[in-house]
Amino acid sequence: MVILCLGVGRGESTAVSIGEVSLILPAPDGYFRFDGKNKDIDAEAQALLPTTVHSLAYYCDESDLAKITNNQAPDLDRDFEAHFIKGHENTTCNNQDFDKLKAYLIAQLGPDQIHDDIVNQAADSAASRLSKVQNQIVAIKVGETLQLGVFDSTPESVCMATVLKASLATGGGQPLEVVKIMAFSAVHIKGRVLFLYVLSTYQSTTDIQWARSQLLKWRDAVVVSNKSGETSLPETTN
C-alpha cells in the first residue's frame, strides 16, 4: 500500500491505494492522523482489527495526538478509522455488486439481528492478538449490542450504527467497562469499497447524533474529493 500525504494538521488529505486504485482520504475536521506516530499504538490498533481487515488511516483529536507522540496512552473517547477488506483490493466492484453488498449489510446488521456468538468470538481473537503485542494477558468481553440500523443511504454508500458495551482487562486486573457508539459506512468509490468508522464513548443520545453527523460529513468529503479526480499528491514516507 502506498501512502501519500499533502499538508499536516487540520485539513490534511491523504492519498491511499486500494490495489491499483488511488483514492483521496480527507481528514475529518479537527482530527489528525495518528497511525505511524507510535509503533506500539499502531501494533495495538492492528491487533484489535479482524485479520480480514486492512487499515488505511486512524484519526484522533489534538489532545490524544499529543499523548501518542509523547509515548502516552491516548483516551480515544472519539476517533475515526478507514479500512478495506483484504483479498478484494484488486477486485472491481460495479454498481450491481455494491447494491448486493448494501442489501447484505442491511440484512445482517439490521435492528432485529443478534450475533452475540460471532461478536464474542471476534473479541476473543482480538484479545489473543493484543496479549501477544502487550506481552500480558488481555481479556475482552462484549456485552449487550444494539443495532440501530440504517440512518442514511445513497447510490454510492450506506450508513449504519451500533451501540455496544464491552470490558477490557489487562494482566488479570479489574476490567474497564466502556459503552461505545460506532457509526460506519460502506462507500463505493472508483470500483472499490472503502469502510469509514466514527467511534465515540456513549454517555447520552447526543453521542449517537454526533457520531452519525460526523460520519455523514466525512463520507460526503470523501465522495466529493474522489469525484474531482485529483489523486496526485507528493509522496512521503509513512
Side-chain angles (χ1 to χ4, degrees):
M1 179 185 67
V2 178
I3 298 291
L4 311 168
C5 296
L6 177 65
V8 294
R10 283 183 175 84
E12 173 187 300
S13 289
T14 303
V16 299
S17 62
I18 301 180
E20 297 180 350
V21 175
S22 293
L23 303 174
I24 287 183
L25 196 61
D29 187 32
Y31 284 74
F32 305 81
R33 282 284 300 271
F34 72 83
D35 50 301
K37 303 265 190 302
N38 183 306
K39 64 179 182 179
D40 293 330
I41 299 295
D42 287 349
E44 290 176 0
Q46 187 62 46
L48 289 170
L49 286 179
T51 56
T52 55
V53 174
H54 186 100
S55 64
L56 288 173
Y58 290 88
Y59 299 87
C60 65
D61 62 23
E62 193 169 4
S63 174
D64 276 332
L65 182 65
K67 291 178 180 178
I68 290 169
T69 54
N70 285 289
N71 276 333
Q72 299 174 6
D75 296 323
L76 293 182
D77 286 328
R78 288 177 168 174
D79 69 287
F80 296 69
E81 305 176 7
H83 309 298
F84 70 85
I85 304 300
K86 292 179 181 178
H88 294 274
E89 53 266 48
N90 293 311
T91 302
T92 299
C93 176
N94 60 33
N95 291 338
Q96 185 177 16
D97 294 332
F98 187 68
D99 286 343
K100 291 179 180 178
L101 174 62
K102 286 172 64 175
Y104 173 81
L105 291 174
I106 292 170
Q108 293 296 311
L109 300 174
D112 297 327
Q113 298 300 312
I114 300 175
H115 302 287
D116 290 347
D117 291 343
I118 296 174
V119 169
N120 279 294
Q121 183 179 9
D124 288 342
S125 297
S128 177
R129 293 189 296 271
L130 195 57
S131 295
K132 294 178 182 178
V133 169
Q134 295 187 348
N135 196 29
Q136 63 177 339
I137 296 175
V138 176
I140 301 174
K141 297 298 179 184
V142 177
E144 182 181 0
T145 61
L146 177 63
Q147 303 291 353
L148 301 180
V150 176
F151 64 90
D152 196 77
S153 181
T154 68
E156 66 269 305
S157 72
V158 61
C159 299
M160 310 180 74
T162 300
V163 176
L164 60 88
K165 183 177 182 180
S167 66
L168 172 69
T170 59
Q174 192 72 17
L176 173 66
E177 304 283 345
V178 64
V179 180
K180 286 279 189 177
I181 167 69
M182 178 179 69
F184 61 95
S185 180
V187 189
H188 186 210
I189 302 175
K190 295 184 179 180
R192 298 294 185 268
V193 179
L194 177 68
F195 289 88
L196 303 176
Y197 292 81
V198 177
L199 296 99
S200 173
T201 299
Y202 176 82
Q203 294 179 320
S204 71
T205 55
T206 301
D207 298 305
I208 296 177
Q209 296 167 0
W210 179 88
R212 285 173 166 170
S213 64
Q214 290 297 314
L215 179 66
L216 293 179
K217 289 179 183 179
W218 195 23
R219 178 208 59 190
D220 290 348
V222 170
V223 170
V224 169
S225 295
N226 287 281
K227 280 186 176 178
S228 68
E230 302 275 341
T231 55
S232 179
L233 301 179
E235 183 172 355
T236 64
T237 302
N238 185 33

